Amino acid sequence: MSEIELDILKIAEIQVQYTPEIKPSERVQVTCSKDAEKVFRCIWNHPLELKECAYALFLNRANKVIGYLLISVGGISGTVIDQRNIFQTALKANASSFIVGHNHPSNNRNPSEADLKLTQKLKDSGNLLDILLVDHLIILVEGYVSLADEGYL
């Protein structure tokens, strides 16, 4: 097709780019849920008791953090997590696995039914793409809950 034909079709070019700025030797390694909790607390940019938010950490084969993504910011009782955004980023970053974390402003330690359904959905979708869901953490003002440690993964 010529440039003129493409211009008539009004087709936008899509560019996918991930430019890592941190040397592999300097990346943080996540070997357990406590490591993941520490990373989430470092990147969390919202008061835990104000709004429910969700983040994802993306890992390479050595479980070193490639990067993170703020997935969503919601209200006092929930937030919408679109798994497509997670997997878009995982694919861009060539991640081998990922960890999702969200907070409960109520400080309730119990995962909701929606939390459990989302975890299963992310696990199943990740299996199709060969991108492993390592854990889903609920970050609380004091402490956290790991759905992997609790046997949900």
Side-chain angles (χ1 to χ4, degrees):
M1 286 188 151
S2 72
E3 244 181 83
I4 295 171
E5 289 172 319
L6 282 177
D7 188 46
I8 292 170
L9 293 175
K10 303 290 184 206
I11 298 174
E13 178 183 1
I14 297 172
Q15 295 181 359
V16 177
Q17 183 175 332
Y18 167 70
T19 309
E21 297 177 7
I22 299 169
K23 295 176 187 173
S25 62
E26 296 174 352
R27 293 181 181 151
V28 174
Q29 189 172 32
V30 176
T31 60
C32 62
S33 63
K34 186 68 178 163
D35 293 343
E37 182 219 10
K38 287 178 186 176
V39 174
F40 279 126
R41 288 194 188 276
C42 286
I43 63 172
W44 214 272
N45 201 20
H46 299 84
L48 291 169
E49 292 181 294
L50 184 60
K51 292 181 179 182
E52 190 167 316
C53 303
Y55 286 84
L57 301 176
F58 300 96
L59 310 172
N60 66 15
R61 296 292 273 173
N63 288 334
K64 290 194 173 187
V65 179
I66 297 169
Y68 72 91
L69 172 70
L70 171 61
I71 302 166
S72 65
V73 177
I76 193 76
S77 62
T79 192
V80 176
I81 297 176
D82 186 340
Q83 72 170 344
R84 292 173 299 181
N85 291 332
I86 296 169
F87 288 108
Q88 280 176 341
T89 306
L91 290 166
K92 281 182 195 175
N94 202 27
S96 296
S97 58
F98 66 103
I99 301 170
V100 172
H102 80 282
N103 64 309
H104 281 177
S106 66
N107 218 37
N108 182 351
R109 297 185 60 79
N110 299 321
S112 68
E113 189 62 35
D115 294 340
L116 298 177
K117 284 181 180 178
L118 173 67
T119 301
Q120 189 62 49
K121 190 175 178 182
L122 290 170
K123 179 182 175 183
D124 293 344
S125 298
N127 288 341
L128 286 173
L129 294 170
D130 201 22
I131 304 172
L132 177 69
L133 173 62
V134 174
D135 205 344
H136 181 170
L137 270 60
I138 300 171
I139 308 295
L140 306 167
V141 173
E142 296 179 36
Y144 71 99
V145 176
S146 161
L147 296 187
D149 292 352
E150 297 292 320
Y152 292 106
L153 275 173

